[in-house]
């Protein structure tokens, strides 16, 4: 059979230690069982610990209930009716993480301070400080009046150092003597301060220490003086928040002003670009129109020159018949200005030859008549361009005729 590889010496030592120490672990767990308030990340346990602290604090408030003297009724009888309303406990009934989340959920410009009180049940002055100082009417009124859930400037959190949250805060604040109370400004991560400390369970939050009171000497200060310290610190913090809010509003106003300037600049720039584009389009359109006009004029001039050249060539080829010749037609042209022009043509000449004569004549005489029509009154007849191939005999203009010339462009 294959031989088994013996375990390595470190593995053997680990197994032996676990076997030997197992009875000791069982004994420790039986002697010191986990408490209901243990565990930093145990939110339910932290909330139960906070509620237990609030219950204890409310009992101390009831213990210092003032004695109310009996009052006399209208009929002279003594009554024991009391007009005393017991103050509420200003401390939150949720764990440290929940309290911190409540603070950080507020906007930075209205974020409240954190009043932290650490209670040592085994300390001789712990209960005395709660009863004579924290339950003092002036201090309770200050804390309760600034402890609104949505608009308060102070959130109070108290814990026993025998709980996970209490021990955690004790380690974080470095508390060595009791009673202990502090006012802390909770800020988002990135806001640096020389006296700020990062919380263990909330890596995105830092706390700045504004007021710290601890030790037996705290009991030598009158409760009214502690109330004054807290009131002054709260007021200064409110002033700091007001200054920060004013700066924020100023930055927003300046940013809005810059954005408005940028928007106006962009609008002006776009308007200038549109005007420049329109100017360029107008210039380009005028250039094209000018080129088209010049091209039309050149084409028209070339057409006129071609027309004049063709007319001269036709007249030179045909020529004017001499007087007394046979087969001649004598034509008289009456111009629009009343002038009469006589000219002889061969009877076999076409209407095209007659038009060619007028074209050359108008050019030589400087008469600006490019488009003209021809007609006769007796008989009344109008000649069109499609008649140019007909001879004078075919059109009835032989042997003589009077032709009216009309300026078709007038």
């Amino acid at each position: 059979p294959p031989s088994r590889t013996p375990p390595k010496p470190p593995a053997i030592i680990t197994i032996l230690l676990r076997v030997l120490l197992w009875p000791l672990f069982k004994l420790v767990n039986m002697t010191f069982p986990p408490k209901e308030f243990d565990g930093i990340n145990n939110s339910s346990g932290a909330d139960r610990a906070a509620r237990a602290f609030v219950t204890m604090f409310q009992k101390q408030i009831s213990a210092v209930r003032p004695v109310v003297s009996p009052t006399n009724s209208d009929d002279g009888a003594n009554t024991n009716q009391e007009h005393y309303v017991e103050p509420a406990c200003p401390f939150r009934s949720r764990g440290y993480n929940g309290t911190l989340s409540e603070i950080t959920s507020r906007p930075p410009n209205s974020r409240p301070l954190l009043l932290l009180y650490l209670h040592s049940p085994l300390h001789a002055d712990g209960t005395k400080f709660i009863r004579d100082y924290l339950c003092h009417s002036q201090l309770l009124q200050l804390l309760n009046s600034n402890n609104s859930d949505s608009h308060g400037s102070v959130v109070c959190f108290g814990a026993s150092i025998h709980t996970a949250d209490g021990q955690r805060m004790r380690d974080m604040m470095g508390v060595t003597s009791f009673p202990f109370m502090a006012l802390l400004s909770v800020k988002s991560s990135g806001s640096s301060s020389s006296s700020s400390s990062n919380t263990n369970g909330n890596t995105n939050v830092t706390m700045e220490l504004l007021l710290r009171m601890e030790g037996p000497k705290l009991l030598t200060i009158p409760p009214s003086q502690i109330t004054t310290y807290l009131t002054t610190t709260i007021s200064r913090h409110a002033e700091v928040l007001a200054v920060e809010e004013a700066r924020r509003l100023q930055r927003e106003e300046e940013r809005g002003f810059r954005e408005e300037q940028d928007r106006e600049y962009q609008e002006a720039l776009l308007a200038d670009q549109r005007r420049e584009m329109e100017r360029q389009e107008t210039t380009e359109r005028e250039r094209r129109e000018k080129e088209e006009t010049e091209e039309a004029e050149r084409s028209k001039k070339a057409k006129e020159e071609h027309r004049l050249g063709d007319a001269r060539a036709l007249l030179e080829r045909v020529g004017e018949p001499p007087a007394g010749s046979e087969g001649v037609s004598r034509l008289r042209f009456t111009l629009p200005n009343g002038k009469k022009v006589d000219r002889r043509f061969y009877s076999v000449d076409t209407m095209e030859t007659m038009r060619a004569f007028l074209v050359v004549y108008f050019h030589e005489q400087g008469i600006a008549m490019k488009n003209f029509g021809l007609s006769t009154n007796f008989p009344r007849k109008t000649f069109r361009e499609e008649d140019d191939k007909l001879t004078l005999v075919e059109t009835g203009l032989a042997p003589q005729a009077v032709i009216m010339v009309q300026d078709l462009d007038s």
Side-chain angles (χ1 to χ4, degrees):
S3 60
R4 295 182 180 179
T5 304
K8 296 181 180 180
I12 296 176
I13 295 175
T14 303
I15 295 173
L16 291 176
L17 287 176
R18 288 182 179 179
V19 172
L20 294 176
L21 294 178
W22 182 80
L24 180 60
F25 289 153
K26 292 293 292 183
L27 179 61
V28 170
N29 290 332
M30 293 175 60
T31 306
F32 304 101
K35 302 297 183 181
E36 62 173 342
F37 301 150
D38 290 345
I40 293 177
N41 297 322
N42 185 2
S43 59
S44 60
D47 291 344
R48 287 195 300 270
R51 289 193 295 269
F53 179 84
V54 169
T55 301
M56 181 272 296
F57 192 89
Q58 194 68 50
K59 290 181 180 179
Q60 296 300 325
I61 293 178
S62 301
V64 298
R65 179 189 184 102
V67 179
V68 180
S69 301
T71 58
N72 295 328
S73 61
D74 294 338
D75 56 359
N78 291 334
T79 62
N80 293 327
Q81 182 179 3
E82 299 179 355
H83 299 279
Y84 170 73
V85 178
E86 186 172 281
C89 175
F91 290 92
R92 289 292 193 269
S93 59
R94 63 176 64 181
Y96 172 73
N97 287 336
T99 302
L100 206 60
S101 299
E102 175 187 352
I103 296 175
T104 54
S105 64
R106 306 269 190 93
N109 59 346
S110 62
R111 189 164 292 173
L113 296 175
L114 173 64
L115 186 141
L116 173 65
Y117 172 71
L118 296 181
H119 179 64
S120 176
L122 301 181
H123 197 276
D125 296 327
T127 303
K128 176 178 175 58
F129 182 76
I130 292 178
R131 183 175 300 175
D132 297 343
Y133 286 81
L134 294 182
C135 292
H136 192 272
S137 59
Q138 291 183 356
L139 187 54
L140 279 178
Q141 183 179 2
L142 171 66
L143 297 180
N144 284 323
S145 62
N146 290 278
N147 198 24
S148 173
D149 289 339
S150 58
H151 302 290
S153 57
V154 177
V155 171
C156 302
F157 175 74
S160 170
I161 61 173
H162 294 169
T163 63
D165 278 348
Q167 185 61 39
R168 171 187 181 185
M169 299 305 296
R170 178 182 183 179
D171 295 339
M172 186 183 72
M173 303 300 299
V175 180
T176 57
S177 58
F178 297 92
F180 176 85
M181 184 167 61
L183 267 179
L184 302 167
S185 175
V186 181
K187 299 181 179 181
S188 299
S189 178
S191 57
S192 59
S193 175
S194 59
S195 58
S196 65
S197 59
N198 189 277
T199 62
N200 295 330
N202 294 270
T203 57
N204 295 326
V205 172
T206 58
M207 294 195 298
E208 180 184 3
L209 180 63
L210 302 181
L211 178 65
R212 180 176 181 136
M213 296 178 289
E214 64 180 320
K217 292 184 179 180
L218 191 58
L219 297 172
T220 62
I221 303 175
S224 59
Q225 189 65 32
I226 294 180
T227 304
T228 302
Y229 291 156
L230 294 176
T231 302
T232 303
T233 305
I234 294 172
S235 300
R236 289 177 179 175
H237 178 67
E239 293 175 358
V240 171
L241 291 181
V243 171
E244 292 180 353
E245 178 65 10
R247 291 176 179 174
R248 185 187 66 82
L249 293 176
Q250 183 178 3
R251 289 193 299 270
E252 288 185 355
E253 183 179 357
E254 292 175 352
R255 183 171 61 253
F257 180 70
R258 288 193 299 268
E259 291 176 353
E260 181 66 22
Q261 284 184 327
D262 293 341
R263 183 165 55 253
E264 292 177 354
Y265 171 76
Q266 292 296 331
E267 291 176 354
L269 182 61
L270 291 176
D272 292 341
Q273 292 175 349
R274 284 194 297 268
R275 285 193 293 268
E276 180 63 20
M277 291 178 61
E278 292 174 357
R279 186 189 66 80
Q280 292 178 359
E281 291 176 355
T282 302
T283 302
E284 180 65 19
R285 184 175 62 255
E286 292 175 351
R287 184 189 65 80
R288 289 196 303 268
E289 292 176 353
K290 182 179 179 181
E291 290 179 353
E292 292 173 357
T293 302
E294 292 176 351
E295 180 63 24
E297 291 178 354
R298 286 193 299 269
S299 177
K300 183 179 179 182
K301 185 177 180 181
K303 184 177 180 180
E304 292 295 333
E305 291 177 353
H306 186 267
R307 179 186 183 191
L308 179 61
D310 291 346
R312 283 176 176 173
L314 180 60
L315 291 178
E316 290 177 359
R317 185 173 65 253
V318 175
E320 183 180 3
S325 300
E326 294 182 356
V328 175
S329 295
R330 294 185 297 274
L331 301 180
R332 172 169 289 181
F333 299 96
T334 303
L335 302 184
N337 57 4
K339 185 178 179 180
K340 306 291 190 300
V341 178
D342 296 333
R343 213 265 191 188
R344 296 184 300 274
F345 294 90
Y346 290 105
S347 298
V348 294
D349 287 342
T350 62
M351 293 291 294
E352 183 180 7
T353 304
M354 185 177 60
R355 288 181 181 275
F357 164 74
L358 291 175
V359 169
V360 174
Y361 179 80
F362 291 156
H363 176 74
E364 292 176 350
Q365 298 299 319
I367 300 175
M369 190 185 305
K370 307 299 182 183
N371 189 17
F372 55 87
L374 303 174
S375 64
T376 58
N377 290 333
F378 304 102
R380 189 170 186 83
K381 187 176 182 181
T382 300
F383 301 99
R384 298 179 175 83
E385 291 184 358
E386 53 265 25
D387 299 329
D388 287 352
K389 299 302 180 181
L390 300 176
T391 64
L392 298 180
V393 175
E394 293 173 341
T395 57
L397 300 178
Q400 63 183 6
V402 176
I403 300 175
M404 312 300 295
V405 181
Q406 299 89 26
D407 188 358
L408 299 180
D409 293 332
S410 61

